[in-house]
């Protein structure tokens, strides 16, 4: 039997936190130098602002990851990372668009000549026409499709819906609005099962209609995030209607309802990609576990879960629903410390570790080993690194823009 | 031991499988490409019905052809003329009408001293279309009255210049019958030491679109397309701006050129959707 009182309630030891932070940030630094647009610009020009941006980005990401590990407050520090990532994505994406095009519209000619940037939400719509019709039904460059395809498939299998709280550059927008200070005006305790199943229905609908029409139906009609990225040029009555529709979806689902309910309404009850990644939760080895022997049935975790992924029933069974984004919000609130990351087929968690012997204070290395060799550390190392790799250029680009604005 | 096994699996997944996405992306790219998988033609500027390429010489007619203009031939001499069909097979709310793209490509960037809407100030492009659809609409008496030519007859003249936002489509009596969308696309390449936004233009494509609702079924019958590129000569403002009133393309262009044009201006012949 292990003695959980000998482990910090949530946080990891200083030695494990420092080791893992340095390890992760070194990998990130090598990766940034070898790939992507940062590497590209370094190869062509040594711009000092970009180097400053890179150093500040690495420092910022390092501090965030260290605090996640050391304090164990996954929810707080992950949310700060996730929100800042979404903000930098918007600044960087729109900044580049305005510089290159002067506006946010994707002209019909850009669409026809495959210049729309590839986005992960497109992947489910591509699959059937790709397999059956040998055609890619999204107006993007050919090279970006296999890259995104393999990335999404691997993320789906390894992390499941963990993507939706650590990697997606849209999810942070909703997290931002749901976390704005203010009272919870609309307390959604338990959405109707039909409402909860809506994202899966939406997924089915867009996959089928995209196949039947050979066009990316979700992108054309519904995607709320076009409001703050780019959208088809508004040159007809149909386009006015479509623009109104997706802008309203953004305002209502991403801004207003999250402010009122403190929940991620779009991610929890609308996004088909969230449903797609939820299917990955069935395969992913990483899970969120509830220790039923510790749980006091206070149900605070249900009220805090942003995507309605907990219910009294699932808590009783010691697990979350399939839609869990592995965000860690419930860990922080649970007064009994009953919730933690776990792995399918293993009883090891941060609170229940075979390296920590009953009644004995673990030594420096034993504690470090126990902190590093547990599901939460393995999961967070992988997914934070992945999120950071994708976020790196957005952070860097934003810092460069700010430095330029300051006239430096 | 069993409880450590899944942790080992998780570690292997993260340290080995996830990084494999990078080389995996390249391998998957090669594999998918070799299977014939492509971006749907609707999203690549359309299915190419036919094209004439002319990277070096002067197969595609450029006027004026006097030696004075040869030094700027890069932005006058079209390197490729293609006709492409953009047709979405089902209604989808895409919002892009089914249409024909008439595409003229040029090396480098067009000059644009006047900062005009289309991004060029000097170049003018005339496309001529010989349409069996227009002929099929004629009444018997109109058909009897029509003068026929062994080659060079046309029904539509599509004029694109930097001074108009739209392509102007004229019939062969010189009347403007329709305006349609024009795109000018610049293909950029990295220039050493420059930011992305200052990349150099390698190729400029001028695309005039003809809605199929207007042109009729372009996959039916024998269609002839001609492309004529030139310069808006400021010493003679009407030059290349005015529509032609003669129903033979060679007659039409002869007054713009000193020499006999037949044989120099090659038509792109597309019969029942196939290039001849
Ligand atoms: S549910 Fe959709 S928008 Fe939300 S985080 Fe997941 S993929 Fe992104
Ligand atoms: S917050 Fe913790 S103790 Fe309360 S119901 Fe949830 S798991 Fe149980
Ligand atoms: S169950 Fe917990 S970890 Fe999963 S989404 Fe809800 S709050 Fe986040």
């Amino acid at each position: 039997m292990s003695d959980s009182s000998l482990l910090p309630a949530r946080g990891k030891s200083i030695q494990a936190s420092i080791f893992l932070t340095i390890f992760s940030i070194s990998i990130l630094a090598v990766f940034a130098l070898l790939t992507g647009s940062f590497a590209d610009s370094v190869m062509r020009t040594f711009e000092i602002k970009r180097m400053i941006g890179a150093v500040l980005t690495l420092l910022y990401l390092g501090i965030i990851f260290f605090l996640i590990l050391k304090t164990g407050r996954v929810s707080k520090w992950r949310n700060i990372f996730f929100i800042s990532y979404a903000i930098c994505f918007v600044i960087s994406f729109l900044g580049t668009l305005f510089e290159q095009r002067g506006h946010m519209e994707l002209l019909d000619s850009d669409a026809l000549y495959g210049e729309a940037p590839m986005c992960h939400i497109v992947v489910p719509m591509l699959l059937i026409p790709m397999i059956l019709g040998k055609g890619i039904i999204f107006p993007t460059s050919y090279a970006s499709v296999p890259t995104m395809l393999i990335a999404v498939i691997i993320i789906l299998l390894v992390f499941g819906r963990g993507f939706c709280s650590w990697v997606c550059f849209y999810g942070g927008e909703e997290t931002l609005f749901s976390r704005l200070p203010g009272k919870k005006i609309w307390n959604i305790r338990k959405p109707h099962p039909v409402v909860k199943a809506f994202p899966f229905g939406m997924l089915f609908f867009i996959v089928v209609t995209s196949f039947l029409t050979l066009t990316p139906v979700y992108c054309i009609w519904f995607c709320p995030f076009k409001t703050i990225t780019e959208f088809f040029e508004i040159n007809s009555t149909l386009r006015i209607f479509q623009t109104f529709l997706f802008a309203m979806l953004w305002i209502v689902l991403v801004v207003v309802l999250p402010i009122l309910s403190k929940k991620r309404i779009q991610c929890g009850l609308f996004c088909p990609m969230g449903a797609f990644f939820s299917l990955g939760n069935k395969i992913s080895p990483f899970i969120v576990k509830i220790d039923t022997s510790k749980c006091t049935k206070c149900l605070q975790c249900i009220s805090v879960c942003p995507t309605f992924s907990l219910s009294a029933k699932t808590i009783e069974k010691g697990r979350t629903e399939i839609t869990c984004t592995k965000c860690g919000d419930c860990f922080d609130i649970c007064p009994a410390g009953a919730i933690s990351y776990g792995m399918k087929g293993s009883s090891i968690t941060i609170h229940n570790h075979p390296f920590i012997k009953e009644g004995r204070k673990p030594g420096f290395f034993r504690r470090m080993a126990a902190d590093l060799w547990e599901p939460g550390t393995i999961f967070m190392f992988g997914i934070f690194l992945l999120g950071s790799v994708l976020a790196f250029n957005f952070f860097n680009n934003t810092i460069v823009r700010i430095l330029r604005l300051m006239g430096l | 031991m069993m409880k450590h096994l899944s942790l080992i699996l998780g570690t292997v997944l993260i340290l080995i499988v996830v990084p494999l996405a990078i080389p995996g992306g390249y391998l998957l790219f090669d594999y998918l490409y070799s299977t014939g998988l492509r971006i749907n033609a609707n999203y690549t500027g359309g299915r190419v019905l036919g094209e004439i390429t002319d990277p070096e010489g002067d197969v595609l007619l450029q006027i004026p052809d006097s030696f004075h203009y040869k030094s700027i031939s890069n932005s006058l001499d079209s390197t490729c003329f293609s006709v492409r069909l953009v047709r979405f097979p089902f209604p989808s709310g895409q919002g892009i009408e089914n249409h024909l793209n008439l595409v003229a490509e040029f090396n480098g960037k067009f000059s644009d001293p006047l900062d005009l809407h289309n991004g060029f100030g000097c170049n003018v492009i005339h496309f001529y279309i010989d349409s069996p659809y227009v002929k099929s609409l004629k009444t018997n008496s109109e058909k009897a009255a029509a003068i026929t030519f062994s080659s060079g007859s046309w029904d539509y003249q599509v004029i694109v210049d930097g001074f108009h936002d739209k392509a102007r489509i004229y019939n062969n009596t010189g009347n403007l019958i329709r305006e349609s969308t024009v795109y000018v696309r610049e293909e950029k390449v990295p220039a050493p030491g420059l930011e992305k936004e200052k990349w150099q233009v390698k190729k400029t494509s001028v695309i005039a679109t003809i809605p199929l609702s207007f042109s009729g079924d372009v996959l039916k019958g024998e269609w002839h397309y001609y492309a004529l590129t030139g310069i808006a000569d400021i010493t003679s403002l009407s030059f290349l701006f005015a529509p032609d009133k003669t129903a033979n393309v060679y007659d039409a262009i002869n007054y713009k050129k000193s020499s006999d044009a037949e044989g120099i201006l090659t038509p792109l012949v597309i019969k029942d959707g196939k290039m001849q």
Side-chain angles (χ1 to χ4, degrees), chain A residues 31 44 99 108-109 112-113 115 134-136 140 142 212 215 220-221 239 242 343-344 346 373 378, chain B residues 3-4 6 14 22 29 33 35 37-40 42-45 90 92-94 183 185 194 197:
Chain A
F31 195 85
R44 286 190 289 112
E99 252 167 33
D108 284 353
S109 63
L112 288 173
Y113 283 83
E115 293 204 342
K134 291 251 171 82
I136 294 163
T140 193
Y142 189 86
L212 292 179
T215 46
I220 295 170
W221 288 92
R239 290 275 173 86
Q242 288 171 334
M343 291 200 75
K344 288 174 186 162
S346 172
W373 190 244
I378 300 169
Chain B
K3 53 189 170 193
H4 288 278
S6 56
I14 283 171
I22 302 164
F29 176 94
Y33 204 82
T35 63
L37 182 77
R38 298 288 185 277
I39 307 282
N40 270 16
N42 300 333
Y43 290 125
T44 48
F90 304 100
S92 64
Q94 174 72 43
Y183 302 123
R185 297 177 46 78
L194 290 177
E197 49 272 26

Side-chain angles (χ1 to χ4, degrees), chain A residues 120 161 163-164 168 170-171 174 225 264 266-267 271 273-274:
Chain A
H120 53 277
R161 210 185 168 189
F163 179 90
C164 290
C168 179
Y170 302 133
E174 268 178 281
F225 297 103
R264 287 170 63 183
Q266 192 279 149
C267 293
C271 180
M273 195 59 191

Side-chain angles (χ1 to χ4, degrees), chain A residues 113, chain B residues 45 80-84 101-105 127 205-208:
Chain A
Y113 283 83
Chain B
C80 180
F81 167 46
S82 61
V83 174
R84 294 151 169 257
N101 277 343
L102 303 173
V103 187
E105 293 171 13
F127 298 106
S205 303
V206 178
I207 304 145

